[in-house]
Amino acid sequence: MTGVRNGGDLVVETLEALGAKTVFGIPGQHALGLFDAMGRGNLHFVSSRVENNSAFAADGYSRATGEVGVLFLSTGPGALTSLAGLQEAYATGVPMVVVASQIPLEGLGARRKGMLHQLDDQKASAANVTKSQRLIQHASGIPSAIQDAWTEAISSPQGPVWIEIPQNVLLDPIMVPPVEDALAEAADNPPRVELVREAVHWLSEAKRPAIIAGGGTRRGHAEKSLLSISEKLRAPVICTPGGNGAFPWNHELSLQSWIEDQYMTELLEDADVLVVIGSSLGEVTSNYFTFEPRGRIIQIDAEPRVLESNRPGLGIRADAGQALAALDEALVSADARPDWHGRAPEDLVKDTLAKVKARLESQDLAKELKFMADIREAVPATMQTFWDMTISAYWAWSCWDAREGQFHSAQGAGGLGFGFPAAIGGAVGLETTGQGGGSSRVLAVSGDGSAMYSISELATAKQHNVPVTWLIVDDGGYGILREYMVGAFGKATATELARPDFVKLAEAFGVPAVRVAPEDVGDALKAGFAADGPNVVVVETLLKMFAPTHLDV
């Protein structure tokens, strides 16, 4: 060790001063200055096997802990491979700081010098999947740039922020003193007073108020205010897949998360004032754009581009937590007397949930209902779960009671491969921050198709002895696409997959694995939860989705 500090040291020192504890990523030639500096610092590094999975892991770390996920990337192919993972974080509003290396300064400017990994404009590639992009061209700018990026990442709407630093800026000796402190505070994003006043006026006069709680409700930690407002108004609340867990599942005003059922669509359409929090009323939430509300809409979102993107309404650009706190404070706690055509909202909620249950039970779905119920019964109440884009997850979007844990899925961007690497990041985060309490173990759920996107991360889980149980539901192909194609065209094309023996494959990585019948999934999961380190449970079964209701309208 020479004792000479460089730009890489400034990156590590600044991140540590901001509170970072863990970094995800993969080393690369232009990024060696970053990794060399980590050897002199206190950051814990988790090396994934594919950069896309590194991005998912940093995302999962942030979702599980509420802290900023940090990602180190190499130049060119490494940086580009991360983009699909970053799209999920960007779409869902997950705060991350991404530090990518760059070719030496002399190669920048779109000159074709033939340098390894050279791109015309690397940060432009990240423009669609990050809040902003910065190129740092001198070492003295590193601490401030990272501090600014961190501030932007945690300011609502939260999201990933991209920084890139050329190889020579990371490696050259510096005269900048060690970073001793760095401060990043989320920018204030309160609602405007006149909008709160107008929203309160609408709600005070409403006879049939209802609430849709989207992912922004959870990102803004607005759960307590949401519960208070719902009870003051006696307003039924439904959670979107991203908002799952924002409202108590068994509350007498909870419509749970059956957002794709026409009975729910009809109830929400009948509301005379509909409060939409942290949701664009997009494809799934609108029951595939069949939703035709007849009342007025109050839409609250930190992202101004979301407001009125699908429906006109009173748009309130604000952090969900701040907006709901302001509404809650302004709403008078008088006895609400809602009137749903002569019915009490609590009775309406109960009857609507009963109708949904009856609809499901009228279909040939006994296996699916029991399978999901068995998983829910096996999973401890406080355990966090991470779901890939697979049939089990589509069921979970509607039927999963998060209880005291948290529900995480890839519904933001909808890319495959999220579940397992995000769960690895989540478990590492809970261990690192001490938030896991008695156990930092998490559950990941994938199909066989999505599992192959992240199968290499079994090596990561084994290397770091991560307490993650991975449930792989193996139906021999892309199950949901098979179902869509058969429904639309009478046959499926290119959906069937040759796949490995997942048990033997996991064991080849040194990870214990077991194959069980669907009816034994609960016991297998409980055994996995009681074990140490990573383990895999494989269930070979063909699950069906409940019949769509939006096609019947």
Side-chain angles (χ1 to χ4, degrees):
M1 180 169 171
T2 63
V4 176
R5 295 170 57 257
N6 57 28
D9 289 285
L10 286 176
V11 174
V12 171
E13 291 164 4
T14 307
L15 288 171
E16 288 185 2
L18 287 164
K21 302 173 187 69
T22 302
V23 174
F24 299 87
I26 297 176
Q29 178 174 320
H30 296 118
L32 293 181
L34 283 175
F35 290 86
D36 176 54
M38 268 203 299
R40 294 186 287 278
N42 299 305
L43 293 175
H44 171 50
F45 182 66
V46 177
S47 179
S48 303
R49 298 303 184 267
V50 186
E51 285 87 356
N52 190 42
N53 295 329
S54 299
F56 283 142
D59 177 334
Y61 180 97
S62 179
R63 293 195 202 201
T65 64
E67 298 193 357
V68 174
V70 182
L71 176 63
F72 281 1
L73 298 171
S74 186
T75 320
L80 296 179
T81 302
S82 74
L83 297 183
L86 291 176
Q87 185 187 0
E88 175 59 37
Y90 183 55
T92 305
V94 178
M96 290 169 55
V97 170
V98 184
V99 182
S101 61
Q102 215 354 328
I103 59 174
L105 276 167
E106 65 194 59
L108 298 179
R111 289 168 289 176
R112 295 283 181 144
K113 294 179 76 73
M115 289 182 167
L116 182 70
H117 301 334
Q118 184 172 8
L119 291 166
D120 289 346
D121 185 353
Q122 178 176 277
K123 63 179 175 21
S125 304
N128 270 325
V129 294
T130 55
K131 286 183 71 175
S132 67
Q133 310 79 40
R134 295 165 170 81
L135 170 65
I136 303 175
Q137 300 192 50
H138 51 86
S140 59
I142 289 174
S144 295
I146 291 178
Q147 181 174 277
D148 290 348
W150 193 287
T151 300
E152 187 175 358
I154 62 176
S155 297
S156 61
Q158 298 177 337
V161 179
W162 181 279
I163 294 172
E164 56 187 50
I165 310 174
Q167 181 185 32
N168 55 315
V169 177
L170 289 171
L171 290 173
D172 289 349
I174 57 170
M175 54 181 133
V176 184
V179 178
E180 295 182 11
D181 66 86
L183 178 65
E185 294 183 350
D188 204 28
N189 194 358
R192 297 209 327 262
V193 229
E194 73 277 12
L195 295 177
V196 172
R197 190 183 304 120
E198 185 68 8
V200 168
H201 175 64
W202 287 15
L203 291 169
S204 299
E205 294 188 338
K207 293 296 182 189
R208 298 186 304 281
I211 300 171
I212 296 177
T217 316
R218 291 172 62 195
R219 298 279 93 77
H221 306 291
E223 294 90 344
K224 186 177 177 182
S225 297
L226 172 63
L227 177 61
S228 175
I229 290 169
S230 169
E231 290 179 341
K232 282 179 181 178
L233 298 171
R234 292 174 64 199
V237 177
I238 193 165
C239 294
T240 71
N244 185 305
F247 194 76
W249 188 260
N250 292 315
H251 193 283
E252 62 182 353
L253 290 167
S254 174
L255 295 166
Q256 301 174 357
S257 290
W258 295 99
I259 198 83
E260 293 182 59
D261 191 282
Q262 187 62 26
Y263 289 126
M264 297 294 177
T265 306
E266 289 167 359
L267 186 156
L268 296 170
E269 285 175 337
D270 191 36
D272 59 356
V273 177
L274 181 65
V275 184
V276 181
I277 309 150
S279 169
S280 65
L281 288 179
E283 189 168 10
V284 174
T285 304
S286 65
N287 204 358
Y288 302 91
F289 299 115
T290 61
F291 180 47
E292 296 286 347
R294 296 186 290 278
R296 296 189 287 186
I297 294 174
I298 298 168
Q299 188 174 20
I300 299 166
D301 208 286
E303 169 55 76
R305 291 175 297 175
V306 164
L307 300 176
E308 299 191 90
S309 58
N310 280 305
R311 289 283 166 183
L314 180 66
I316 302 177
R317 196 291 307 268
D319 172 77
Q322 290 183 266
L324 290 197
L327 278 178
D328 187 29
E329 187 180 356
L331 280 167
V332 180
S333 297
D335 289 335
R337 298 188 180 278
D339 179 6
W340 291 79
H341 309 293
R343 306 179 65 195
E346 296 81 2
D347 294 336
L348 182 68
V349 166
K350 186 177 178 181
D351 291 350
T352 306
L353 287 172
K355 286 181 184 177
V356 172
K357 184 170 185 262
R359 191 203 298 277
L360 292 171
E361 290 175 347
S362 73
Q363 301 170 34
D364 182 22
L365 296 171
K367 178 172 76 171
E368 287 77 6
L369 289 165
K370 183 177 187 308
F371 187 72
M372 296 305 297
D374 287 348
I375 297 173
R376 177 59 277 184
E377 193 275 328
V379 174
T382 58
M383 183 175 284
Q384 300 200 29
T385 58
F386 295 80
W387 302 74
D388 224 315
M389 298 296 284
T390 186
I391 288 177
S392 301
Y394 300 148
W395 269 96
W397 284 2
S398 294
C399 76
W400 188 259
D401 174 5
R403 298 185 182 169
E404 299 155 57
Q406 288 194 59
F407 173 87
H408 310 287
S409 80
Q411 88 289 334
L416 290 177
F418 167 85
F420 186 49
I424 289 174
V428 167
L430 293 173
E431 279 191 315
T432 305
T433 61
Q435 295 183 38
S439 173
S440 300
R441 181 165 295 278
V442 300
L443 172 67
V445 182
S446 301
D448 57 298
S450 56
M452 290 303 293
Y453 275 68
S454 48
I455 200 75
S456 60
E457 301 310 321
L458 282 167
T460 303
K462 176 63 177 176
Q463 179 175 337
H464 298 279
N465 198 39
V466 181
V468 56
T469 296
W470 191 10
L471 172 61
I472 300 175
V473 184
D474 183 355
D475 65 5
Y478 296 121
I480 194 66
L481 300 179
R482 177 196 291 135
E483 192 166 307
Y484 288 162
M485 291 191 78
V486 169
F489 312 117
K491 65 175 184 177
T493 305
T495 59
E496 307 314 296
L497 298 172
R499 74 275 198 197
D501 182 325
F502 285 106
V503 171
K504 288 182 179 178
L505 184 54
E507 290 172 343
F509 283 94
V511 175
V514 62
R515 180 182 291 103
V516 298
E519 56 269 23
D520 298 321
V521 68
D523 289 339
L525 288 176
K526 288 175 185 176
F529 297 152
D532 180 56
N535 51 70
V536 175
V537 175
V538 180
V539 177
E540 293 182 1
T541 188
L542 178 62
L543 299 177
K544 297 183 300 185
M545 277 301 293
F546 47 82
T549 60
H550 65 280
L551 301 177
D552 300 327
V553 296

